[in-house]
Structures are given as structure tokens and as C-alpha cells.
Amino acid sequence: MTIEFKDVIIQTICRLLTPPIQLYALYVIAHGHYSPGGGFQGGCILGASFILMVIAYDIGEVKRRMAEKMNTIFCSLGVIIYSGIGAICLILGANYLDYGILHKILPVNPVRARALGTLGIEIGVGIAVMAVMISIFLNIASGGEHEGALE
Amino acid sequence: MIWQLDIIILIIVVISAIAAITVKDLLSSAILLEAYSFLMCLLWTEMGAVDVAFTEAAVGAGISTAFFIGAIYQTTRRTKD
């Protein structure tokens, strides 16, 4: 299965479609606490945009934009943002992930601090889910070799 | 919530689920599972659970089908049993 697969229609459509998908994913993450959506769904859509790039081009194109080391760093960074915000709440004297106490270090009232804490959690979850989805897909599609997937 | 629409979507869900586990071609099975997932998303939207439907559309119909297709490329396309 090493057929040279380059189709100008698929590549052009993918190139045109990837930025709106990523913009929509960022909207879903940032607007997650007002409407349906949130970190998990937005992270899945962000990962799907990279998977679309693997399908249209090849695995090298994605690894040039999002290297394996960078992906691992993002994967850990999301978990650190999530648990860090929770631990800050714990240090300030409230329960784990009790965002209302964040008004002691942020210049806002407790209600606003709660909304901002939720936004921070959503961003952390979104980053972690995106990195894990890309990592799972690259490992499955290339059989752990990390080159020449779906060709 | 319209119960006639519920019944119609449920019947198509059952048909696509049975077809996904009986068909021999694994790629067809993955696409039928995506159809099942999308119909479940439609059913949940119609029942008012928009957040669950969003998750189903993003994960079930989007990501997991890509995972299945990537896994099928590593194996044979037809099942033996």
C-alpha cells in the first residue's frame, strides 16, 4: 500500500477547510460554559482538523507543524493547567476546583472568578484532549512507526 | 419532542446497528457505525440533550471513525469469521 496519492481537489479543500474548523473549535472551547460544548468537544474538533490534514497530505506534513515532542509537551501542559488551577484553589483555603476562592488573587468579584476558573479548566482540558487525540491517531494509523501513514 | 420522529429514528438506529455487526467488509462496518453514531446524535438532539449530542457528533461520528479507518489500514479488510 505505497501508492503515491496526491489529489489537488482534496488538498485544496482540506487547506480551505482547516482554518474554519480550528476557529470553530476555539469558539466551542471559549464559549463552553454559556452554551453546549466545552473543553472535551472543542479538543476533539481541534484534533479532527489535524487528522483531516493527515488524510489529505501525509504524516510528515502534520509532524512538521506539530512535532512529536511538542505534542507530548501539550499533552502534559493541559493536565498541568487543570490540576494547577485546582491546586491553587486548595492552597488558598477552599476545596479542590472551588473557583470562587480565586477572587483573592484575581482583581474581580467571586462570581466572575468562578467563570474565569471554569474557562481556565476548559482550556486545559481542550489542550490535553487535542494532543492525546493526535497522538492516538498517529500511533494507530502508522502502526507505531510514525511515518507513511494511510498511503 | 415528537414521538413519531423518535420511532422513525429509532428504527433506523436499530437497522444500522444490526447491519454494522453483520456486514463482512470492515470498512463498510466502520462507516455503518458512523451512521449509527450520527443517528444517535440526531435522536439526542431531538430529545433535548444538546450537550450529549454534541459530544456524540464530535467523538462518535468524527474521531472514532478516523481511528477505525486508521486501524483497518493496518490489518486485512475482510473478516474471517
Side-chain angles (χ1 to χ4, degrees):
Chain A
M1 273 192 276
T2 54
I3 306 160
E4 189 71 20
F5 183 71
K6 285 200 192 309
D7 194 310
V8 66
I9 295 174
I10 292 178
Q11 292 193 350
T12 308
I13 292 293
C14 165
R15 208 165 56 226
L16 289 178
L17 213 57
T18 304
I21 290 175
Q22 293 183 345
L23 198 61
Y24 180 63
L26 292 180
Y27 167 76
V28 168
I29 292 178
H31 212 255
H33 46 291
Y34 298 120
S35 65
F40 188 73
Q41 290 96 326
C44 278
I45 299 171
L46 259 183
S49 72
F50 284 95
I51 289 174
L52 180 69
M53 216 181 289
V54 176
I55 289 172
Y57 295 91
D58 60 343
I59 208 164
E61 178 73 19
V62 172
K63 283 177 73 179
R64 198 165 58 76
R65 289 165 196 265
M66 173 78 94
E68 191 64 22
K69 188 184 285 182
M70 204 68 200
N71 208 2
T72 313
I73 289 174
F74 271 133
C75 185
S76 314
L77 184 70
V79 180
I80 285 175
I81 289 174
Y82 183 90
S83 56
I85 290 176
I88 287 173
C89 300
L90 207 60
I91 289 169
L92 289 176
N95 288 322
Y96 189 69
L97 295 178
D98 190 1
Y99 321 115
I101 202 72
L102 285 177
H103 75 275
K104 285 185 178 175
I105 54 171
L106 295 175
V108 288
N109 56 344
V111 178
R112 190 73 192 145
R114 201 168 279 278
L116 284 176
T118 313
L119 180 63
I121 292 294
E122 304 272 6
I123 289 171
V125 172
I127 290 173
V129 169
M130 175 200 72
V132 169
M133 287 297 169
I134 296 172
S135 178
I136 290 175
F137 182 75
L138 293 190
N139 276 306
I140 285 181
S142 63
E145 298 288 329
H146 281 281
E147 50 194 32
L150 296 182
E151 280 178 354
Chain B
M1 185 173 164
I2 312 163
W3 68 269
Q4 292 93 342
L5 197 58
D6 274 358
I7 297 293
I8 293 170
I9 294 174
L10 267 176
I11 289 171
I12 309 174
V13 162
V14 170
I15 290 172
S16 63
I18 292 173
I21 59 172
T22 50
V23 75
K24 292 288 181 191
D25 192 356
L26 284 177
L27 199 58
S28 309
S29 181
I31 300 300
L32 279 167
L33 204 64
E34 182 183 13
Y36 163 81
S37 193
F38 182 73
L39 285 164
M40 283 304 288
C41 164
L42 211 61
L43 190 62
W44 271 319
T45 310
E46 202 268 334
M47 283 179 159
V50 186
D51 210 351
V52 182
F54 200 176
T55 310
E56 182 75 33
V59 180
I63 295 278
S64 73
T65 306
F67 287 174
F68 282 136
I69 291 173
I72 288 167
Y73 266 86
Q74 297 293 318
T75 62
T76 56
R77 196 171 151 180
R78 314 244 343 148
T79 53
K80 298 290 193 298
D81 49 345

